[in-house]
Amino acid sequence: MMGLKTQESKEFVAFFKIVQAEALKENKIFFLDAGDGRDINLPGISGEDLMGWLIPIDMADDFKKYWLLDDVNDDWSDYFMFAIWENDEDEIKIRFE
């Protein structure tokens, strides 16, 4: 899945799809750096607040080259964001800040 480097559980992939769907609403892709704690565990979904880069789609291929090599420099720092989850009546919502 775009934005993930490692093999993750199907529960985390389900959570990450929600993150990517929110990013796509802004015509962006979220590239995961790391988890930031504050876990969520629901039936079929497992995740946590995340940190990473929210990259415009038209820049994603260029960014991906550096990201895959763990060589993201400060030129990309304006795109570094936290993906914060909220559970609104059993509907997970993501906001980027």
Side-chain angles (χ1 to χ4, degrees), residues 17-79:
K17 284 180 181 179
I18 297 168
V19 173
Q20 289 297 33
E22 192 61 35
L24 283 174
K25 289 179 186 177
E26 299 180 26
N27 291 317
K28 297 179 180 176
I29 298 172
F30 186 78
F31 289 85
L32 181 63
D33 182 37
D36 196 42
R38 207 172 70 85
D39 295 347
I40 181 169
N41 292 295
L42 297 171
I45 295 177
S46 180
E48 62 184 303
D49 290 343
L50 304 173
M51 53 184 146
W53 296 268
L54 189 60
I55 304 294
I57 288 175
D58 62 343
M59 299 169 68
D61 287 338
D62 189 37
F63 176 81
K64 185 178 176 182
K65 296 175 210 172
Y66 300 103
W67 176 73
L68 285 172
L69 296 171
D70 291 323
D71 191 27
V72 178
N73 63 32
D74 289 342
D75 293 343
W76 299 96
S77 62
D78 288 346
Y79 300 99

